[in-house]
Amino acid sequence: MNVLVVNCGSSSLKFQLINSETEAVAAKGLCERIGLDGRLVYQPTGGEKEVTEAAMPTHTEAIKMVLDALVNPKTGVLKSLDEVEAIGHRVLHGGAKISDSCIINDEVISVIEECCDLGPLHNPANLMGIRACMELMPGKPNVAVFDTAFHQTMPEKAYMYAIPYKYYDKYKIRKYGFHGTSHRFVSKETIKFLGLDPNNSKVIVAHLGNGSSISAVVNGKCVDTSMGLTPLEGLVMGTRSGDLDPAVLEYICNKENISVSEMVRILNKESGLLGLSQGLSSDFRDLSEAMENGNPDAKRAIDCLCYRIIKYIGSYIAAMNGVDAIAFTGGIGENAALVRKTVVDNLSYLGITLDEEANKARGEDKVISTSDSKVIVAVIPTNEELAICQETAALVKNQK
Ligand code: AMP
């Protein structure tokens, strides 16, 4: 089944056309600067990358340009749009009502609308993408794959914040967690690749990229995760602070005479690796190069990043009363041998040991712990687009 996977941001739209049986990507690309001037980057597999500048006032024009590119007689990969059998949309927030991917109908649209408060940057954009596809490809099934869904199995003790209960009652303030599509895909793949018992397994997934989160997965079900009501909680990320004492907000707001919203923006956009390195970079590669050249700002940022990962892994081992496997994924998790080594070396008290040679691995499923390590450590590349494609195809086939 040919599935068009669509991931809408407020002014951007990423897409991939994937065959769910062969897992082959026929074409992929990106629309940027939607609402400003508009730019489409289109890359058919095996062909030349094309860049087209054209007005894209809304996501509807952006999707229209993507569809035109896909059926373009010269560089398109489809003869007609009839060959697109389903559309899978990445949706940020499904709140507490949605615990799985679903075929989009009026009810699902209402839930995504209700959750705009919780995901103000993403949910409205996700809705625009959904509506544009419905308008331009009437009658085709659209599926919503939620970033929060996989984490809906967390028990109350993991998702509740210890604040007056009325805020949960009134506003559903709680931990939701994000990157769920990746955590689901990687935890499943880890169980399969390592031959673990799906009904008797404890896995920690460390998704480390520009945004990062860790999850604890027992028997394939998420029991805890590091991101919270929003993606701000948890690990040190590219530009997000992750955990901090909430009193820091009031203190800085008073000292600098700035609003809470401005402070939250700083915590999302100017903190994390970028903030700790005094503005040097939010990108791990830049920082690791600078650290090698003796830059103390880069070293501070990387030390804090690794330390927070170590603390979360330790706490999730305690929360699950053990662990069978730890999987690293995401841009940093899949590529940064240094981060994996720093983290695994700090787990030696558990008899977890790293195979330094295997740790040079990149971009493939690979065990990186020694054969006598008490816990298996592995690199498991994530593929969120493929996961969205597979979930979309499974739902649509089931419906037929
Ligand atoms: P993601 O958000 O998953 O695309 O990950 C982006 C992060 O991964 C950035 O901080 C990159 O610097 C980092 N990254 C990507 N490739 C590499 C690499 N080869 N070595 C180290 N870090 C990398």
Side-chain angles (χ1 to χ4, degrees):
M1 177 182 295
N2 285 323
V3 179
L4 180 63
V5 175
V6 175
N7 181 359
C8 285
S10 50
S11 67
S12 69
L13 180 162
K14 290 187 207 143
F15 67 92
Q16 287 197 11
L17 182 70
I18 308 177
N19 182 296
S20 62
E21 279 89 30
T22 62
E23 300 185 358
V25 177
K28 63 180 175 182
L30 161 75
C31 296
E32 292 172 299
R33 304 179 58 83
I34 300 171
L36 298 167
D37 36 18
R39 183 171 183 262
L40 166 73
V41 181
Y42 170 76
Q43 169 89 67
T45 300
E48 294 277 302
K49 191 185 269 186
E50 277 174 29
V51 179
T52 316
E53 316 259 342
M56 288 177 200
T58 72
H59 288 72
T60 308
E61 290 81 12
I63 298 259
K64 174 95 178 60
M65 280 194 65
V66 170
L67 300 181
D68 286 348
L70 289 172
V71 295
N72 179 306
K74 275 196 193 140
T75 50
V77 290
L78 300 174
K79 286 198 183 68
S80 111
L81 285 181
D82 291 344
E83 292 170 57
V84 176
E85 286 158 277
I87 305 113
H89 298 266
R90 181 179 186 181
V91 181
L92 183 81
H93 222 302
K97 284 195 180 150
I98 292 193
S99 56
D100 230 327
S101 305
C102 31
I103 303 228
I104 300 175
N105 54 23
D106 289 349
E107 207 179 314
V108 175
I109 289 190
S110 303
V111 175
I112 301 173
E113 269 168 352
E114 276 170 36
C115 294
C116 282
D117 259 3
L118 294 168
L121 295 180
H122 294 85
N123 273 38
N126 301 150
L127 274 173
M128 285 192 268
I130 291 167
R131 291 196 166 114
C133 287
M134 287 178 153
E135 184 187 328
L136 297 168
M137 289 178 281
K140 301 263 182 206
N142 284 268
V143 168
V145 179
F146 293 86
D147 258 34
T148 48
F150 181 60
H151 304 303
Q152 277 298 305
T153 47
M154 278 189 287
E156 188 184 43
K157 65 185 176 188
Y159 70 68
M160 285 304 291
Y161 292 123
I163 57 175
Y165 193 82
K166 64 179 178 192
Y167 298 122
Y168 174 70
D169 250 358
K170 275 165 92 173
Y171 309 120
K172 293 287 169 279
I173 302 291
R174 50 161 281 182
K175 181 188 275 288
Y176 288 99
F178 297 87
H179 291 142
T181 312
S182 176
H183 286 286
R184 189 197 302 270
F185 180 87
V186 173
S187 56
K188 252 190 187 173
E189 182 65 24
T190 304
I191 290 169
K192 197 168 96 187
F193 178 64
L194 301 178
L196 302 178
D197 179 351
N199 299 314
N200 185 17
S201 60
K202 294 173 179 171
V203 174
I204 291 176
V205 176
H207 176 113
L208 312 174
N210 190 34
S212 300
S213 62
I214 297 204
S215 63
V217 183
V218 176
N219 303 339
K221 296 207 165 29
C222 177
V223 295
D224 209 342
T225 192
S226 59
M227 283 177 164
L229 174 76
T230 75
L232 185 53
E233 190 180 342
L235 299 175
V236 173
M237 307 178 218
T239 61
R240 295 190 193 115
S241 63
D243 297 339
L244 86 167
D245 179 348
V248 168
L249 260 91
E250 186 199 25
Y251 196 89
I252 298 181
C253 286
N254 286 342
K255 288 279 180 199
E256 301 263 315
N257 197 20
I258 55 176
S259 67
V260 172
S261 308
E262 172 59 4
M263 193 58 219
V264 170
R265 191 196 63 76
I266 292 170
L267 294 176
N268 270 301
K269 301 279 183 201
E270 293 180 12
S271 301
L273 295 176
L274 183 66
L276 284 165
S277 68
Q278 298 214 64
L280 188 63
S281 180
S282 61
D283 190 281
F284 182 82
R285 270 170 299 193
D286 294 346
L287 293 173
S288 75
E289 204 184 305
M291 184 170 78
E292 272 173 32
N293 293 326
N295 185 313
D297 292 326
K299 179 168 177 352
R300 177 190 314 115
I302 292 179
D303 282 351
C304 289
L305 170 97
C306 293
Y307 183 65
R308 187 85 55 89
I309 299 167
I310 291 164
K311 286 211 299 190
Y312 262 97
I313 291 182
S315 72
Y316 284 171
I317 295 173
M320 295 193 292
N321 191 11
V323 65
D324 299 310
I326 300 169
F328 285 93
T329 197
I332 297 174
E334 288 167 33
N335 296 294
L338 169 77
V339 172
R340 298 192 300 248
K341 178 170 164 50
T342 309
V343 171
V344 176
D345 284 354
N346 254 275
L347 300 171
S348 58
Y349 68 101
L350 290 167
I352 306 180
T353 43
L354 188 73
D355 178 335
E356 305 257 353
E357 196 51 38
N359 191 37
K360 292 177 182 158
R362 269 191 190 174
E364 52 169 343
D365 286 4
K366 181 137 186 161
V367 172
I368 58 166
S369 48
T370 56
S371 55
D372 60 350
S373 175
K374 292 271 191 302
V375 173
I376 309 173
V377 185
V379 173
I380 307 284
T382 191
N383 190 337
E384 289 174 276
E385 289 77 15
L386 178 61
I388 293 172
C389 164
Q390 286 170 340
E391 295 199 20
T392 301
L395 272 173
V396 171
K397 275 181 194 155
N398 241 341
Q399 196 198 30
K400 278 185 179 166

